[in-house]
Amino acid sequence: MKHFTLRGGTVVDGTGGPARRADVTVADGRIAEVGDIPRNGGDTDVDVSGLVVSPGFVDIHTHFDAQVFWDPDLTPSSWHGVTTVVQGNCGFGIAPTKPEDRDLVMETLELVEGMRVDTLREGIDWCFETFPEYLDAVRALPKRINLGAFVPHSMVRLYVMGPDAAFSRTATDAELAEIRRLTREAMDAGAVGISTSQAPSHQGPQGRPVPSRFADIREVAALVETLAEVGRGIIEITYGPLMEIEEVAQLSRDHGVPITWGAVLPGLFGPPGSAMDMLERGTSVGGQLWPQTSTRFITTQMSLENPYQWSRVPAFSEVLGRGTDAMAAAYADPAWRERALAQMESIADQTDFLDGDIQGYFRRTSVEETGCHFDLRGVPLADVAAARGGHPLEVMLDLALEDGLATRFRNLPRTDKAELTELVTDPRTVLGAHDAGAHVDMLCDSCYPSYTLRYWVREEQAMTLEQAVWRMSGQPAALWGLADRGTIEEGKAADLVAFDLDTVGETHPERAWDFPADGDRLIARSQGIEHIWVNGTPTRQNGTDLEGATPGMVIDSC
């Protein structure tokens, strides 16, 4: 169906302009006409009466770099009206990678992005080494939706410097020149930008900081300068001790390069108001700084097989990735426990998840998924510890050991609703940090478009429908340089969604075992997303995905 007209819908065009009754004609994958379009006997009409017709949503913070090899649908994102994703965030990906470093890269992804090594080993087709070769491989893969890619700084560093140096020191002048060359080569091949991280939680094998955390300001500035020389692209810089947000904004101002800051989230940087204060400090400098924020109250389900939140406690970082038996042995060891407790107490005020309030963490944490502790589901671990007369951390360890480390603990966020509302509705932020493709066993925030329309628009009425659609389509597309999509305008790519505002939403998360090597993940399906078109090809009709629809393509910035 190369030529058709959507009739009877309410068009919200992604510009922020008012909703209006209009028809939309699509021809050869492009939007041909928008308005009151006369009927032609030879045309194919699609009845979207009672539905909102919007641009496809653009998720600028995903980690589908590996998943694209075994999941052409890029789920769950494609279920929620997302028609374009940007992967390779936070400085992590799978290219460039030398053959001898593949295991190290996969182990790093397991620890920092929650991807199981067994799944990666079975699922990735290592038919590439360089970043251009990787993009060519992804172009050849079937894809339900469009994909843009950051070149990941940690992988570039590893490729240039080798494992020992990349995980231990700053780059020499010669190494820095090669990092710049490979970044430019990746941009020439079609990357939309580059990403890097200084986040203290990003720790690789043996508890070592990931390669990008060993970069100095000179190296980060070189990445920005390279994008300035290329003349297009955006860089993502994830928070950390190297630079304050004002310094990052100054880099953007000095070089004329857009920078997205990851991220401003309530509860991540201190008491209520801290995230908004960070936003104010960064945007007051000028430049093109776009801090990301999540629309979700980020809730995780973590097992002690992958104690991601505890990675900054040295005792935990020592056992990360060592396997269930080794981790269980450590957790049962009284000396290890004593050391972990002491370290937790000593750094509680330095960790974003404890923030000096250990009891508060354990009041927000309870058993969620378990094979034996059914009577404790939903009971705060602080209360369980009080009843048993022990420390909450020891209780957590005991419960995990009794269930073979399979128990998953649900951790509610410290998010202040008032501050999150401010951030979500502030046009100086961009909606991101939803991590599709990462931490798949712990959370599923890739459902954020359905959630945003249900919660923030329909229920809370914190933003208008027009504002929400712009925040999820036109705004991110413009900021990431995806000039040919993101709005419903003549000549643009026909990435379109038709949804029922009265019923749109996300289902309760469920655990699926559908990844390679019997890998598990949390998924949430959509409700009320009735039709989706990608590059003018229907991928969903009447709420059902069309089998084998793969019109997606690798897209570039301009």
Side-chain angles (χ1 to χ4, degrees), residues 244-265:
E244 297 291 339
I245 193 171
E246 298 95 326
E247 297 173 278
V248 171
Q250 189 64 50
L251 271 179
S252 171
R253 184 174 162 183
D254 290 347
H255 297 286
V257 170
I259 298 177
T260 180
W261 171 261
V264 287
L265 300 171

Side-chain angles (χ1 to χ4, degrees), residues 49 52 98 171 231 273 297 324 493 517 530:
S49 299
V52 174
K98 294 176 180 177
F297 295 84
T324 300
E530 298 300 325

Side-chain angles (χ1 to χ4, degrees), residues 183-519:
T183 300
R184 178 146 201 158
E185 176 184 78
M187 292 300 297
D188 291 343
V192 300
I194 188 167
S195 65
T196 187
S197 172
Q198 288 288 321
S201 61
H202 286 160
Q203 303 210 117
Q206 293 84 51
R208 295 180 297 177
V210 297
S212 63
R213 289 180 57 194
F214 289 98
D216 54 15
I217 292 178
R218 180 182 66 127
E219 185 171 336
V220 175
L223 302 178
V224 177
E225 291 165 3
T226 302
L227 289 187
E229 293 166 3
V230 171
R232 65 172 183 83
I234 185 170
I235 180 170
E236 182 212 20
I237 299 178
T238 297
Y239 73 93
L242 183 65
M243 289 184 289
E244 297 291 339
I245 193 171
E246 298 95 326
E247 297 173 278
V248 171
Q250 189 64 50
L251 271 179
S252 171
R253 184 174 162 183
D254 290 347
H255 297 286
V257 170
I259 298 177
T260 180
W261 171 261
V264 287
L265 300 171
L268 187 60
F269 303 105
S274 300
M276 280 302 299
D277 176 67
M278 178 176 283
L279 175 63
E280 295 291 346
R281 288 188 286 113
T283 56
S284 68
V285 175
Q288 303 172 64
L289 181 71
W290 295 98
Q292 296 181 28
T293 197
S294 170
T295 70
R296 301 268 291 171
F297 295 84
I298 301 173
T299 300
T300 59
Q301 293 176 205
M302 178 192 71
S303 79
L304 292 190
E305 285 186 294
N306 180 21
Y308 178 80
Q309 285 184 323
W310 294 94
S311 62
R312 289 192 65 192
V313 176
F316 276 95
S317 69
E318 290 167 11
V319 300
L320 271 171
R322 287 179 52 191
T324 300
D325 291 344
M327 298 177 84
Y331 297 158
D333 179 8
W336 183 93
R337 288 188 174 203
E338 183 178 358
R339 189 156 47 91
L341 280 166
Q343 292 169 352
M344 178 188 68
E345 296 280 355
S346 68
I347 67 170
D349 61 346
Q350 304 167 33
T351 57
D352 47 32
F353 75 102
L354 290 174
D355 196 30
D357 183 14
I358 294 170
Q359 285 299 314
Y361 173 84
F362 287 108
R363 283 193 298 271
R364 298 191 309 274
T365 302
S366 60
V367 171
E368 177 67 14
E369 298 180 56
T370 182
C372 58
H373 305 303
F374 304 107
D375 58 329
L376 294 180
R377 288 190 62 192
V379 181
L381 289 185
D383 294 349
V384 179
R388 296 188 177 190
H391 191 283
L393 178 59
E394 292 194 287
V395 168
M396 176 183 264
L397 293 168
D398 288 339
L399 295 176
L401 287 168
E402 291 166 18
D403 196 17
L405 304 192
T407 289
R408 295 181 184 272
F409 300 92
R410 183 176 187 236
N411 179 246
L412 300 172
R414 290 174 302 164
T415 304
D416 177 77
K417 180 180 176 181
E419 186 173 25
L420 182 59
T421 304
E422 284 188 272
L423 290 166
V424 167
T425 57
D426 194 315
R428 295 174 298 175
T429 69
V430 61
L431 303 185
H434 296 103
D435 265 349
H439 311 296
V440 294
D441 66 321
M442 294 174 57
L443 54 77
C444 180
D445 285 344
S446 52
C447 62
Y448 80 94
S450 302
Y451 172 85
T452 298
L453 294 169
R454 173 187 66 80
Y455 182 77
W456 292 109
V457 176
R458 189 173 72 233
E459 296 177 5
E460 291 295 308
Q461 299 181 18
M463 62 173 75
T464 66
L465 174 61
E466 292 88 346
Q467 289 169 334
V469 169
W470 171 68
R471 298 279 275 150
M472 296 190 292
S473 58
Q475 185 196 33
L479 297 179
W480 264 246
L482 311 179
D484 69 337
R485 59 198 72 232
T487 58
I488 299 179
E489 298 178 89
E490 294 180 9
K492 292 286 185 79
D495 294 346
L496 302 166
V497 181
F499 60 88
D500 183 349
L501 186 59
D502 293 333
T503 62
V504 69
E506 76 293 355
T507 63
H508 189 76
E510 59 188 278
R511 190 162 298 279
W513 302 82
D514 59 352
F515 269 14
D518 200 28

